[in-house]
Amino acid sequence: MDSSISLSLRRPREVQGHHHLKALSRKGHVIIYSRNEEGMAAATAPKQAWPPWPPLLFLLLLPGGSSGGCPAVCDCTSQPRAVLCAHRRLEAVPGGLPLDTELLDLSGNRLWGLQRGMLSRLGLLQELDLSYNQLSILEPGAFHGLRSLLTLRLQGNRLRIMGPGVFSGLSALLLLDLRLNQIVLFLDGAFGELGSLQQLETGDNHLVFVAPGAFAGLAKLSTLTLERCNLSTVPGPALARLPALVALRLRELDIGRLPAGALRGLGQLKELEIHHWPSLESLEPGSLVGLNLSSLAITRCNLSSVPFQALHHLSFLRVLDLSENPISSIPARRLSPLVRLQELRLSGACLTSIAAHAFHGLTAFHLLDVADNALQTLEETAFPSPDKLVTLRLSGNPLTCDCRLLWLLRLRRRLDFGTSPPACAGPQHVQGKSLRDFADILPPGHFTCQPALIRKSGPRWVVAEEGGHAVFSCSGDGDPAPTVSWRRPQGTWLGRAGRVRVLEDGTLEIHAVQLQDRGAYVCMVSNVAGNDSLRTWLEVIQVEPPNGTLSDPNGTMPGVPGPFFLDSRGIAMVLAVGFLPFLTSVTLCFGLIALWSKGKGRVKHHMTFDFVAPRPSGDKNSGSNRVTAKLF
């Protein structure tokens, strides 16, 4: 009886071939059959041993081991609870998917759209791969019901606009991949319901605009990648809505400027990568304000120097990568504000020199990668503690193996040079030889230097007129080639700019000679093996002003007086000369007024005079007509 039951469950086609059972229904892997008339007759024969009908039905209706079937075009056996339907030329989501599916791979098909509720029955689904289809439409609510989904891959489709509601229902989603689409816009609220999202990949799109509220609601997003799109500016207002962002990658963008404060709102950001911005030639001093980075990479851009001013406040920075920029030198002590810096990578740049004390102040510094540059040497004095150096990448540099690299030879067995240790480009007798190939005891003439000596100089006594031009020449020999410097009579070293300057070939040049330029000048040639000096003298002849006028060494017309400037003493003298006549005049006036005032009391205000009236003509007998009058 046991054998007949097993036959009806596992080999239904064989049983049907004998016409004993007829299929009534099929559910999962359990098949229910009924007897036809021929089977009933055969059941009465003594050779058949069929069990009683009720026990058979009880055994057949026991629960199966799966909650659904597997679509014929898919593979359900390679992984547990996984349905693999990749590259099956499907134009729609197949039906009959098991309800307990946790991984559904529909990549590489011809799906063109996803309607609302199409996958809502797969409540246990954790990973959904819809990459490399022809999806151009995602209706709002297309992923409704996928409350357990953790990973959603949509790269390689034809999506154009991300608007609100598309990802509703994905409250548990952690990773969303939107690369290689045709997305132009991220509208406000596009990701608003993805409160648990931690990683968002948006590269290789046609993205030209990110709305200020596009990333609103992404409270837990920790990693964001924007690469190979058409953004012309950094979407600062949108990025400021990501309070938990830890890693930001901005790759292969045609952006020429990182404005001051563009990333100010990202207080939790620890890793910033800026890669392949061909138009980025410098970093503004305030471009990284508000950040507290531990890792910064600005690679394959067009920086011509290390952006010290933009970096000086990053006291917690541990890794700095400036590889593949046209940076030619690292000056002394400019990196000292980065007190916690441990690794510096500058491979594939244009480095020709690393100054002494370049890394002083970096007490935790242990890795330097300057491979594939133009360095001829790397002196021990560049490092605060060479013995603390663990990794040094120097391959691909034309190194001159002289006494300046003896320290490197001493540490060659302990240092990690990577897969390609540094090799000598000169002198001729060691050319091409790796540092690891040298013996502990060096043959004579290996890794040696010759001290600097002055071989050629101009006149040691130079006479120049005031306002004229003076030139001193000086050069030296040595191995390595020495540097030439000049010192002023006051003891200060002269630079390469200004009225008094040192040219590239070591020549000292003085324009518009002044009286105070008179004195001694010292030429110093030096290298790592020693130095040599030469003392010269400049005599300045004072030029008398023609016709009593003041001389002006910068004047173009002789005899024309130049501008006359007064100092404080001269101004005081001029004021005194003008004030004395004025004071004398005022004093005289007041004296005259005083004298007039004293004589005013003796003045009489009356007078007496006689008046004689005219006599009428012919009147000879009249008396005298004299009248005395007094006027008051």
Side-chain angles (χ1 to χ4, degrees):
M1 181 170 56
D2 294 339
S3 62
S4 62
I5 295 175
S6 177
L7 180 65
S8 64
L9 286 173
R10 301 182 185 177
R11 302 180 65 184
R13 295 181 182 177
E14 184 178 345
V15 175
Q16 288 178 354
H18 292 282
H19 303 283
H20 291 308
L21 297 176
K22 182 178 180 180
L24 292 178
S25 65
R26 181 171 183 173
K27 181 179 181 181
H29 297 288
V30 180
I31 304 173
I32 303 174
Y33 296 91
S34 66
R35 301 188 181 202
N36 54 20
E37 295 179 356
E38 295 180 356
M40 291 293 291
T44 59
K47 294 182 181 180
Q48 300 294 333
W50 293 102
W53 191 232
L56 176 62
L57 288 177
F58 174 77
L59 293 174
L60 292 176
L61 294 177
L62 287 174
S66 176
S67 59
C70 179
V73 295
C74 301
D75 177 12
C76 301
T77 60
S78 298
Q79 301 180 35
R81 297 189 178 183
V83 180
L84 308 179
C85 310
H87 305 286
R88 306 298 170 94
R89 300 183 180 181
L90 299 176
E91 297 182 357
V93 178
L97 296 171
L99 302 182
D100 59 351
T101 301
E102 295 181 355
L103 186 153
L104 177 57
D105 185 358
L106 292 169
S107 61
N109 285 291
R110 301 175 180 176
L111 305 181
W112 58 270
L114 201 61
Q115 286 73 36
R116 177 182 177 88
M118 183 174 289
L119 301 170
S120 60
R121 297 174 64 249
L122 304 179
L124 300 178
L125 191 64
Q126 297 182 9
E127 182 174 351
L128 176 59
D129 192 346
L130 294 169
S131 57
Y132 300 103
N133 278 277
Q134 301 177 14
L135 293 173
S136 59
I137 300 175
L138 293 178
E139 294 184 1
F143 304 104
H144 183 73
L146 303 182
R147 57 186 179 275
S148 300
L149 193 66
L150 304 177
T151 301
L152 176 58
R153 304 186 186 278
L154 288 167
Q155 71 266 32
N157 283 283
R158 300 177 181 177
L159 302 175
R160 294 182 179 274
I161 297 178
M162 289 288 104
V166 173
F167 301 108
S168 62
L170 300 179
S171 57
L173 193 67
L174 301 179
L175 185 149
L176 175 60
D177 193 344
L178 296 173
R179 293 175 298 167
L180 294 165
N181 276 277
Q182 302 173 12
I183 300 174
V184 178
L185 301 174
F186 283 157
L187 301 179
D188 287 329
F191 309 99
E193 300 187 28
L194 302 178
S196 299
L197 193 67
Q198 297 182 6
Q199 182 173 350
L200 177 60
E201 302 288 339
T202 63
D204 295 283
N205 278 284
H206 300 165
L207 194 63
V208 296
F209 179 71
V210 180
F215 298 141
L218 299 178
K220 295 183 180 180
L221 188 70
S222 61
T223 303
L224 174 63
T225 302
L226 296 171
E227 60 183 344
R228 291 184 292 276
C229 57
N230 295 325
L231 287 175
S232 57
T233 58
V234 177
L239 296 174
R241 308 295 291 271
L242 301 173
L245 194 66
V246 175
L248 175 61
R249 303 183 182 99
L250 305 172
R251 300 170 178 162
E252 299 187 39
L253 301 175
D254 190 16
I255 298 178
R257 178 173 174 260
L258 186 62
L263 305 174
R264 186 185 297 272
L266 303 177
Q268 299 298 319
L269 193 68
K270 300 301 179 185
E271 301 177 14
L272 174 61
E273 179 184 354
I274 297 175
H275 175 69
H276 198 192
W277 291 17
S279 302
L280 185 65
E281 298 181 353
S282 63
L283 215 57
E284 297 183 12
S287 56
L288 302 177
V289 169
L291 300 182
N292 191 18
L293 300 173
S294 60
S295 176
L296 173 62
I298 307 176
T299 57
R300 206 177 177 185
C301 296
N302 204 20
L303 299 179
S304 58
S305 62
V306 179
F308 298 107
Q309 292 185 352
L311 303 176
H312 77 278
H313 70 284
L314 300 177
S315 57
F316 287 90
L317 191 68
R318 287 174 169 78
V319 179
L320 176 60
D321 190 350
L322 299 174
S323 299
E324 298 184 79
N325 282 284
I327 297 174
S328 60
S329 64
I330 302 178
R333 302 182 187 276
R334 295 297 303 275
L335 292 170
S336 58
L338 309 179
V339 292
R340 293 176 176 83
L341 190 68
Q342 300 177 7
E343 302 180 10
L344 175 62
R345 303 178 186 275
L346 254 166
S347 62
C350 299
L351 282 177
T352 58
S353 65
I354 296 178
H357 312 293
F359 308 116
H360 278 228
L362 309 179
T363 56
F365 192 71
H366 65 81
L367 186 149
L368 177 64
D369 184 358
V370 287
D372 301 316
N373 279 280
L375 292 172
Q376 294 185 358
T377 190
L378 180 60
E379 297 188 22
E380 184 178 10
T381 55
F383 303 92
S385 301
D387 292 335
K388 292 183 179 180
L389 200 63
V390 176
T391 303
L392 180 60
R393 304 283 194 268
L394 262 177
S395 60
N397 285 281
L399 297 176
T400 299
C401 291
D402 53 23
C403 62
R404 295 171 293 177
L405 294 184
L406 278 174
W407 72 276
L408 199 58
L409 195 65
R410 174 173 53 86
L411 300 176
R412 69 188 185 281
R413 302 193 188 280
R414 184 183 61 81
L415 284 175
D416 177 15
F417 291 125
T419 57
S420 179
C424 299
Q428 185 68 32
H429 60 277
V430 293
Q431 188 173 7
K433 192 172 182 179
S434 171
L435 290 184
R436 293 193 183 279
D437 297 336
F438 286 94
D440 293 336
I441 301 177
L442 295 173
H446 286 64
F447 288 86
T448 58
C449 294
Q450 296 179 2
L453 293 174
I454 295 178
R455 298 296 185 187
K456 182 179 180 182
S457 65
R460 300 184 62 179
W461 184 280
V462 175
V463 178
E465 291 186 350
E466 184 181 5
H469 184 74
V471 175
F472 296 91
S473 60
C474 181
S475 62
D477 292 333
D479 185 15
T483 59
V484 180
S485 55
W486 286 85
R487 185 163 53 87
R488 299 194 67 168
Q490 296 80 7
T492 57
W493 293 100
L494 302 175
R496 299 192 178 275
R499 186 179 61 86
V500 182
R501 60 177 181 171
V502 181
L503 303 181
E504 292 293 336
D505 60 356
T507 300
L508 176 63
E509 188 177 53
I510 304 176
H511 291 281
V513 174
Q514 301 176 3
L515 290 176
Q516 58 265 31
D517 294 332
R518 177 181 179 273
Y521 289 81
V522 179
C523 172
M524 178 77 71
V525 293
S526 60
N527 63 10
V528 68
N531 57 69
D532 192 10
S533 62
L534 176 69
R535 186 182 180 91
T536 60
W537 185 269
L538 173 64
E539 187 65 39
V540 181
I541 301 175
Q542 185 176 7
V543 177
E544 294 294 333
N547 300 327
T549 61
L550 296 175
S551 64
D552 181 10
N554 296 322
T556 58
M557 297 180 62
V560 178
F564 186 78
F565 298 96
L566 292 176
D567 56 6
S568 59
R569 183 178 178 183
I571 294 175
M573 293 179 63
V574 170
L575 291 177
V577 171
F579 180 73
L580 288 176
F582 171 75
L583 182 61
T584 303
S585 301
V586 172
T587 304
L588 181 62
C589 290
F590 274 103
L592 294 175
I593 292 173
L595 292 175
W596 178 78
S597 299
K598 288 181 180 181
K600 185 177 181 181
R602 297 193 298 272
V603 176
K604 294 182 179 181
H605 297 284
H606 66 276
M607 64 180 298
T608 302
F609 64 91
D610 293 335
F611 175 75
V612 179
R615 179 180 298 177
S617 62
D619 189 2
K620 298 180 179 179
N621 297 323
S622 59
S624 177
N625 294 326
R626 184 181 296 274
V627 178
T628 300
K630 182 177 285 188
L631 178 64
F632 294 93

